[in-house]
Every structure is written in C-alpha cells, then in structure tokens.
C-alpha cells in the first residue's frame, strides 16, 4: 500500500513540476497561440492557454506515474547500500559524525552569508563552503567525539562520587576499583578452550560479567565440526566448559550479537569490540595480547596470571622433588613442581624415578615461563 501511495506522490510532484514549467514557457507559447486563436476572440485565447497548461500538467502526472516505479527501485537500492555502510559504523561515531555535520553546515552558512552578494560566484561559494565544513565536521567529530564523550563520563562519575562524599555518604572503595571489578571481560576463544577460566571463576577471584560474542561461539562451532580429531575435541571442550559455567551461575555470562561484516578475523573483531565498548579482553593468545595492548586495550592474560601465582623459590633453598626423566645434557635429570614448573637437576640422572632433596642454584624467567636449576646433595637423597 505504501508503495502505491509513493507512486502517486511522485506522479503529483512531477505533475506540479510540469505545471510550473508550462507556466514559465508561457511567453514562448503565447505568440503561437495568439497567431492561431486571436481571431476567435479573447475567450478562445484564454481557453487555449488554460488547455495548454492543463494538458502539460496531465502529461507530467502520467509520465511521473510510469517513471515512479524506476525511481522507487533505485531509491531502495541506494537506501540498502547506505544502510549497510551505516551498520558498520559504531553508534558513538555515527552520532558524533551527525553532530559534527550539523555544526559544520551551520558554520558554513554563517560564513556563506558574506559571499551571497558576490555576483555570479556568490551562491557557488556557499555550496563549496558547506561541502568543506560539513565533511570536516563529520571527520573531526567521528574521531574525537567518542573520546570526548568518555572523558566527560569519567569526569561526571568522579564528580558524582565527590558529591556523595561531601554529603556524608560512605563510599566503599575508590572509583577505580569499582571500575576494575565491574568492567565486562571479553572472552577470546583460546581462554574458553583452555578451561582454567571456569576454575578461576569458582574461586571467586574474578567477577563478571563475562562477555562472549556470537562470532566466538561460531568459531567454536566450526572448530567442533572440524575433520581433525584434535581440533574437534578442543572445540567441543570449549562449548562444554561454557555450558558448565552458565549452569554453575557463579558469574554472569552474556552473549552479545555485535559483529563486523567488514572484518574476517575473529581477533580483529574482538579488538574492535573491546575498543568500542571499553571492555577488557581476556586471552591466552601471545600475539593477540601484544597487538591489543599496542591499541590501548586492557588485556587479562591467564598465562601471565599463572606465572605470577607460581611459588617463589630463591637460590640456596632446599626442596624435595621426584626426578621424572633424564635431561638433555649428560647426568641431568628433570623434575616438575606441582604447578608444572620444570626443574633441571644437575647430576640427577641416577635418581630417575626417586624422590630426592635438591638445592636451587638459579632461576631463569622467560616469556614462556620459569625454569629452575638445581643440584642433588648426595648425602640427603633417599
């Protein structure tokens, strides 16, 4: 129904344009009408003039009705393309860009008034100024608008906390700690598959909400359907862990539908989502960790957390370990702490399969973890 109404509206608009056009062509048509109808009297001449205008208007309406279908189809195509472009633009940038466009056009019109009296080129200068200032306003506000908004919100929150304090309200903790605990954590695929996030939530050391984008779930499903048995098991493990966390209800888990059709890689989508929403990104991926931090994203790396929580040993300390296997070098043995830290035991090869007392000689900290070097005291082993 709306489509039909629009066709009639377009037909009427084109008919109106035809009427205005025929009225403007009257000085050109009048000599021809006078030549043929003046001899019949003034009434005939007037009727001829009216008939010309009416016929022109009716022809305009008929032509408008037939071309309206083409106009509407092209308009829908342009509208869909514009919609696709706008859906890829973050909401904050879209609002900021619109405000920048309005301010740019206002400034351009204020300046353009001074050029309106300039002969010939005056109106064109106003059009050029509107294009320049409008585009500049969109670009400037799209870049700086979200940042200005976030700064304003931070200042507003600080002012709100200060007001509460000044009125005698007791505020537990600072605004910073509240933000740390309340900020959403965006889960990457590697963290879900790893599984330690479930145990970490069970301890109560981490608070939600934990956010899982729909494109991460899709990636887990693709991995679960992989022909490779190893990948298939890892994908199913990730889905099972996520379901167990939802059932346990220890922390809030949110599934968000935000997606970016212009990006193919899941890591790129995660980083854009984290930047737009100002969320923290939780990952075990070494490269994603580095790239995200370069972009200013707050990253929570479970591997770094695990390294920090490993027991601290110092050179000269005695510990009891079980030598599990032979080392790469001659007479070396290899043992492990409960957290999986490898201990290279000098002269430990004869004690493979036995528990011995060893003395820590040095500790090597690397990006991959920590390695401990120790030696056996022959008088203390069993």
């Amino acid at each position: 129904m709306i489509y039909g109404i629009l066709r009639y509206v377009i037909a009427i608009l084109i008919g109106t344009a035809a009427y205005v056009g025929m009225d403007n062509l009257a000085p050109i048509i009048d000599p021809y009408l006078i030549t043929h109808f003046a001899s019949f009297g003034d009434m005939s001449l007037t009727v001829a003039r009216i008939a010309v205008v009416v016929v022109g208007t009716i022809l305009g309406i008929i032509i408008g009705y037939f071309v309206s279908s083409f106009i509407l189809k092209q308009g829908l195509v342009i509208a869909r393309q514009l919609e696709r472009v706008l859906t890829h633009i973050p909401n904050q940038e879209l609002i900021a860009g619109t405000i920048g466009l309005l301010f740019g056009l206002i400034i351009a019109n204020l300046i353009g008034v001074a050029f309106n009296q300039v002969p010939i080129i005056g109106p064109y200068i106003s059009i050029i100024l509107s294009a320049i200032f409008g585009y500049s306003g969109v670009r400037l506000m799209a870049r700086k608008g979200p940042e200005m908004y976030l700064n304003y919100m931070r200042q507003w929150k600080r002012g709100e906390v200060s007001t509460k304090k000044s009125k005698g309200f007791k505020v537990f903790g600072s605004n910073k700690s509240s933000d740390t605990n309340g900020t959403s954590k965006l889960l990457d695929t590697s963290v879900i598959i790893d599984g330690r996030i479930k145990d970490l939530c069970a301890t109560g050391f981490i608070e939600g909400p934990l956010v899982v984008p729909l494109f991460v779930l899709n990636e887990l499903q693709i991995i679960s359907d992989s022909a490779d048995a190893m990948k298939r098991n890892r994908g199913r493990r990730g889905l099972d862990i996520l379901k167990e966390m939802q059932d346990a209800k220890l922390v809030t888990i949110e599934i968000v539908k935000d997606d970016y059709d212009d990006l193919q890689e899941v890591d790129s989508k995660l980083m854009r989502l984290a930047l737009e929403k100002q969320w923290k990104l939780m990952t075990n991926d070494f490269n994603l960790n580095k790239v995200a931090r370069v972009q200013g994203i707050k990253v929570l790396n479970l591997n770094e957390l695990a390294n920090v929580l490993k027991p601290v040993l110092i050179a000269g300390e005695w510990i009891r370990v079980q030598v599990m296997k032979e080392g790469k070098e001659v007479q070396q043995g290899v043992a492990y702490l409960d957290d999986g830290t490898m201990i290279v035991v000098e002269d430990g090869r004869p004690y493979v399969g036995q528990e011995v007392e060893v003395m820590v000689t040095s500790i090597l900290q690397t990006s991959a973890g920590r390695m401990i070097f120790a030696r056996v005291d022959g008088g203390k082993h069993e």
Side-chain angles (χ1 to χ4, degrees), residues 298-337:
K298 293 182 179 179
V299 181
L300 303 177
N301 192 313
L302 291 190
N303 289 333
E304 293 179 358
L305 177 63
N307 289 333
V308 170
L309 294 179
K310 288 180 179 179
V312 178
L313 297 174
I314 58 175
E317 184 176 354
W318 289 92
I319 56 175
R320 188 173 186 83
V321 298
Q322 183 175 7
V323 181
M324 303 297 295
K325 60 181 181 179
E326 299 178 355
K328 292 182 179 180
E329 303 296 332
V330 179
Q331 296 302 315
Q332 274 187 354
V334 176
Y336 296 92
L337 295 179

Side-chain angles (χ1 to χ4, degrees), residues 28-225:
I28 300 173
I29 299 174
D30 264 356
Y32 175 81
L33 295 178
I34 292 172
T35 302
H36 290 80
F37 295 96
S39 59
F40 296 100
D42 291 340
M43 181 62 71
S44 299
L45 182 61
T46 302
V47 171
R49 286 172 178 169
I50 295 173
V52 168
V53 174
V54 171
V55 170
T57 303
I58 292 173
L59 286 174
I61 292 174
I62 294 172
I63 294 172
Y65 183 79
F66 283 110
V67 302
S68 61
S69 177
F70 174 78
I71 293 173
L72 287 175
K73 287 180 180 178
Q74 294 302 314
L76 289 173
V77 170
I78 295 172
R80 290 193 187 100
Q81 291 177 348
L82 185 61
E83 183 181 357
R84 290 193 195 99
V85 173
L86 293 178
T87 52
H88 294 152
I89 300 176
N91 293 335
Q92 293 177 352
E93 291 185 13
L94 185 60
I95 296 172
T98 304
I99 296 172
L101 176 63
L102 293 175
F103 277 107
L105 293 177
I106 291 171
I107 294 172
N109 286 328
L110 291 175
I111 298 174
V113 171
F115 296 94
N116 284 339
Q117 304 303 322
V118 178
I120 302 176
I121 64 171
Y124 299 103
I125 292 177
S126 299
I127 294 173
I128 294 171
L129 288 175
S130 297
I132 294 174
F133 280 92
Y135 177 76
S136 300
V138 170
R139 295 288 296 176
L140 182 62
M141 286 299 293
R143 290 183 179 180
K144 298 295 183 181
E147 182 180 347
M148 293 166 61
Y149 173 77
L150 290 173
N151 290 336
Y152 170 77
M153 291 303 296
R154 292 191 188 105
Q155 292 175 2
W156 181 78
K157 287 181 180 179
R158 293 193 192 103
E160 188 180 36
V161 172
S162 300
T163 303
K164 287 182 179 180
K165 289 181 179 179
S166 63
K167 289 182 178 180
F169 289 100
K170 188 174 182 181
V171 181
F172 293 92
S174 65
N175 187 48
K176 184 177 180 181
S177 67
S178 174
D179 178 70
T180 301
N181 290 333
T183 303
S184 298
K185 286 85 174 174
L186 194 59
L187 298 189
D188 146 320
T189 313
S190 63
V191 166
I192 300 174
I193 292 176
D194 179 275
R196 287 178 292 179
I197 183 66
K198 182 182 72 172
D199 299 328
L200 186 59
C201 292
T203 62
F205 278 100
I206 188 169
E207 296 182 359
L210 302 180
V211 181
V212 182
L214 195 59
F215 56 80
V216 169
L217 285 180
N218 292 336
E219 186 182 36
L220 282 173
Q221 183 179 2
I222 292 171
I223 296 174
S224 300
D225 295 336

